[in-house]
Every structure is written in structure tokens, then in C-alpha cells.
Amino acid sequence: MLKGSNTPVPTAALRVELGWRTGPGVPDADASALLLVSGKVRSDADFVFYNQPAHSSGAVRHEGKRDAGGRVTDTLLVDLARVEPEIETLVLAASSDGGAFGRVPDLYIEVQDAAQGAPLARFDNPGATTETAFVLGEFYRRQGAWKFRAVGQGYSSGLEGLATDYGITVDEPQQAAPTPAPVTAPAPPAAAHTPPPMPPSAPPPPATPPAPVRLTKVTLTKASPSVSLTKQGGTSGALHVNLNWEVRKQFSGWSSKFGRPTAMHSDLDLDLCALYELTDGSKGVVQALGNSFGALHQPPYIHLDGDDRTGAVSTGENLTVNLDHKNAFRRILVFVTIYEGARSFADLHASVTLRPQHGAPIEFSLDECTVPSLVCALALITNTGGDLIVQREARYLVPDRGVSPQRTVDHVYGWGMNWTPGRK
């Protein structure tokens, strides 16, 4: 599509893909959406992005990133049938992290049929220089039907400037107010029997404004693989660990021999798991296998929310860690196994997000798998002097013949547990 052109949208369930080519020195990018009435959001809740990944109506959800052989995508899922009647426009935006869009090659936005995967519209951004945010496209209503327009409007003020333009209240760094110099008032003249002044009536307390939107996040990479939860403010409350993945319809290369040729969402079952070691010396595993779902308010203070056997559940697979008991943890290894549906992680593209209740979210994508792996170590959380350090692992492991994925990851990381066969 050319900039400014539009096209009808024939279906309601859509996948909006922001894509670009990565490489050394290429900044990261993030997709976001704003739901507008008369050109503005009704509240900050109408902003969907990495720190606020779903709209309350269910109309828009931020799915996350995929990295496949030098091509990166960040995806929004849009259901136009669930957009509230007063919403007139859905703005589709991109923001860069670590540099301007002039250093991001082959930036595009593509609208796809979510059910069939067929492309419905695509806009390749014609060029960028110093911009750090772009409105690439928008859905808008016309006579009861939805259309998509290619926009291509850049902002040099980044996601903050773009969001503010549409009515979002953005959290700003707090600066201490200057301390006024003391002023010595002259002594009043003496007056006989002067009654003290009446104290003024106290004004009513001001209304508490809504909390502003926080635009900070942490992306872990090979060059910068670890972060302190303490430095990010994530020292209490719940830490949610999310795994979301996408599977291609067709394996290619060696994986067509070692993997299933048509691994689809309907038959692929990935399991998010966690090995833990507590400061009292106890060790164990949290996983769906054997119904070892853990517990949040008693040891091990880790809970697996459920077992997504399709990959199509909107929230993916989730672990929750109770950081109110962070001093009980010595180390936690989060990993994922293939239970059934494929013989390797080849052509499976996944992203991991650790979202503390307090502090910035931590995210990273998995590298492309080039070995016949059934288990991938995702993240290692270690207690170092009372500080929890999150380390990106993204490490594919190949079990020996007859050795389970769980035993394999145990051996590599030296957990030293005894394993017995288990079933769901």
C-alpha cells in the first residue's frame, strides 16, 4: 500500500504484524495500539503496549516478539467485533528502543487474517531518519464497516511524545523541588490585647489522580543478558513469567526430517516448568507433568497457572513467583519442554516476559533453534546477597537417547534431583 491509501477489512479477527530486519547496531522496536474517540483516548486504559498488554474489552492484545533468522516481528491481535461502539479509530504505532528508526531496515506493518494467516494489507515504511516513533497505520469506521489506512507519520519524541499527543498521561522522572532559602520576617509591632488570627478552614483534600502510564521496560540480549530485580523495583508482590509462542505451518530443512512436517497449534503441547532450590536446601520442580503445579503462599512459593495444550490460549503459559518470600529462594530455573506435537523447537518462535508487580517488565526472544532440541532453558533467577538477578539463558539442550528433558536440564545446571516417569 502507498502512504495515505486505504482498503476495506473483510474480517474481524486480525493479526497485526510489525516487522523489520535485525542485525548489529539495529535498535529494537515495539508495537502498540491506541483506541480513540474523537482523536483521543478516553483514559490511559485505551493504550495497549508492552506494559499494558491487553484492552479490557478484549479487542486488542499485545502478543509479543518473534525472532526468526534475522527477521523480528512484534504482534498485536485485534478483534474488531469486540471494539466498543464509541471507539472510532484504532491507531497502530511503533516505537524504537536504542536508536532512531533510520537505523531499522525494512520496517513494515502487515494486517493478516488471524484464522487463515493470509495477508490482507501491508505497508512498507518509505523511509525514516531521526524518528523514534511512528504511526504506521490505523483501523477506522466508515458507514458501519472497518477500513485500514497506511499512515506513516513519524515522531522524534518517541513513544512518550506519541502517547501524549493522543491524551495519555505518561510517568516522568520525579525531580526534587528546590529548597527555598529561609526568609526572616520583620518582627510585628507590639499591640496590646490583639486576639490571635483565626486559622483558615482546611481545604478539601484533592482527588487522587490516576497513576500515569509507565513506558519503561528491560530487554535482555546476548550482549546484555542479566538484570537486577532490586534495581528495577521488583522486590515484592507477584512476578509473572509468561511464555508465548508461534508455530509455522510447515517445517523446513533438516527439521522436516526430524520434526513433524505439519506441527500445528492443535497438536503442539509445550510445557513451562521451573526447577527451584530454596535456602533451606529443599529442591523440586513445578510443572504440569505429574500435576506438580506448586503453591504460591507456601513452599515453593511458585505456582503454574495452567497447562496450555494448544498454544492458542491468549495468555500462553504462565508461572507466578511470590516475591514476598524472595529470601526463601536460592535459585529458580525456568525452562520449557515439548510434551508432544513436535520433535524439536525448530520453526517454533517464542518470547518470554517476566512482569514484576512493581518495576519494569523484562522481556527477551528465543534464538532460532538449529539442533533437534526437546528442552530449552529460558531464564535463571539467582539470589545474590538478597538481590534477585534475572539471567537470560535461551539455551536449547539435546537429551541423550532415553533421557528425559527434565533430567537433561537438571544435569546441565547441576540440580542433583532423582527423577521418575510421570504423566499428565
Side-chain angles (χ1 to χ4, degrees):
M1 295 180 65
L2 298 176
K3 182 176 179 178
S5 61
N6 63 75
T7 184
V9 180
T11 186
L14 303 168
R15 178 185 178 88
V16 178
E17 182 178 278
L18 171 71
W20 66 95
R21 179 164 48 86
T22 190
V26 175
D28 193 21
D30 297 289
S32 57
L34 300 103
L35 292 79
L36 308 182
V37 177
S38 300
K40 297 285 184 180
V41 297
R42 298 166 299 180
S43 72
D44 293 351
D46 286 341
F47 185 26
V48 177
F49 69 122
Y50 48 77
N51 269 2
Q52 195 164 260
H55 193 260
S56 59
S57 67
V60 185
R61 179 170 62 85
H62 180 240
E63 188 179 50
K65 290 191 176 72
R66 307 286 187 267
D67 188 342
R71 291 279 177 179
V72 182
T73 59
D74 196 13
T75 303
L76 298 166
L77 296 182
V78 177
D79 187 350
L80 296 177
R82 302 181 71 171
V83 176
E84 297 150 304
E86 60 268 29
I87 298 295
E88 303 161 350
T89 309
L90 270 69
V91 167
L92 306 170
S95 58
S96 61
D97 184 10
F101 273 113
R103 294 164 49 196
V104 180
D106 300 343
L107 182 70
Y108 71 88
I109 188 170
E110 184 172 278
V111 179
Q112 303 169 357
D113 183 321
Q116 305 297 327
L120 303 175
R122 179 180 170 118
F123 173 53
D124 292 272
N125 201 45
T129 53
T130 61
E131 299 89 348
T132 50
F134 264 99
V135 174
L136 292 175
E138 64 181 16
F139 296 114
Y140 64 98
R141 295 185 198 259
R142 281 295 181 272
Q143 298 178 345
W146 286 97
K147 290 188 173 184
F148 172 77
R149 177 186 289 121
V151 178
Q153 177 186 348
Y155 289 75
S156 59
S157 51
L159 185 59
E160 179 177 346
L162 184 151
T164 302
D165 272 4
Y166 288 105
I168 301 293
T169 305
V170 176
D171 189 13
E172 297 180 355
Q174 297 296 314
Q175 297 181 351
T179 303
V183 177
T184 303
H193 308 293
T194 302
M198 295 293 292
S201 58
T208 303
V213 170
R214 301 186 62 206
L215 300 182
T216 55
K217 69 165 183 172
V218 177
T219 301
L220 300 182
T221 63
K222 288 182 179 179
S224 181
S226 63
V227 66
S228 161
L229 279 176
T230 300
K231 292 180 180 178
Q232 297 301 318
T235 57
S236 63
L239 170 68
H240 296 287
V241 183
N242 172 260
L243 172 71
N244 226 312
W245 73 87
E246 175 187 80
V247 58
R248 290 180 181 172
K249 294 182 179 180
Q250 182 72 35
F251 282 99
S252 59
W254 67 265
S255 59
S256 63
K257 180 177 180 181
F258 291 100
R260 289 184 58 171
T262 54
M264 301 292 290
H265 280 222
S266 59
D267 60 6
L268 179 68
D269 185 5
L270 300 186
D271 284 342
L272 187 63
C273 315
L275 283 170
Y276 63 84
E277 181 180 2
L278 304 184
T279 52
D280 65 4
S282 59
K283 301 175 182 179
V285 64
V286 175
Q287 61 178 2
L289 198 66
N291 294 319
S292 301
F293 288 95
L296 201 57
H297 300 291
Q298 62 186 37
Y301 308 113
I302 305 169
H303 182 250
L304 177 63
D305 293 356
D307 181 22
D308 176 7
R309 297 197 175 196
T310 66
V313 174
S314 63
T315 55
E317 294 238 345
N318 296 273
L319 278 165
T320 304
V321 180
N322 189 344
L323 294 182
D324 291 337
H325 296 273
K326 66 184 180 71
N327 292 331
F329 299 118
R330 182 170 292 161
R331 56 177 178 160
I332 303 169
L333 179 68
V334 182
F335 64 100
V336 59
T337 68
I338 296 176
Y339 183 71
E340 61 183 11
R343 295 183 184 177
S344 80
F345 282 102
D347 284 342
L348 305 180
H349 309 303
S351 60
V352 181
T353 304
L354 294 87
R355 196 179 303 278
Q357 186 172 335
H358 308 288
I362 301 163
E363 67 172 20
F364 60 89
S365 297
L366 299 187
D367 301 322
E368 185 175 5
C369 179
T370 59
V371 294
S373 171
L374 285 171
V375 57
C376 180
L378 301 177
L380 181 64
I381 305 173
T382 54
N383 190 334
T384 306
D387 183 13
L388 293 183
I389 304 296
V390 178
Q391 171 85 22
R392 175 188 186 269
E393 295 294 305
R395 185 177 179 185
Y396 294 104
L397 306 174
V398 181
D400 292 333
R401 186 177 183 87
V403 178
S404 70
Q406 289 85 350
R407 190 185 296 270
T408 299
V409 74
D410 179 321
H411 175 74
V412 170
Y413 285 87
W415 233 262
M417 291 173 54
N418 293 319
W419 296 92
T420 57
R423 297 185 62 85
K424 292 186 181 181

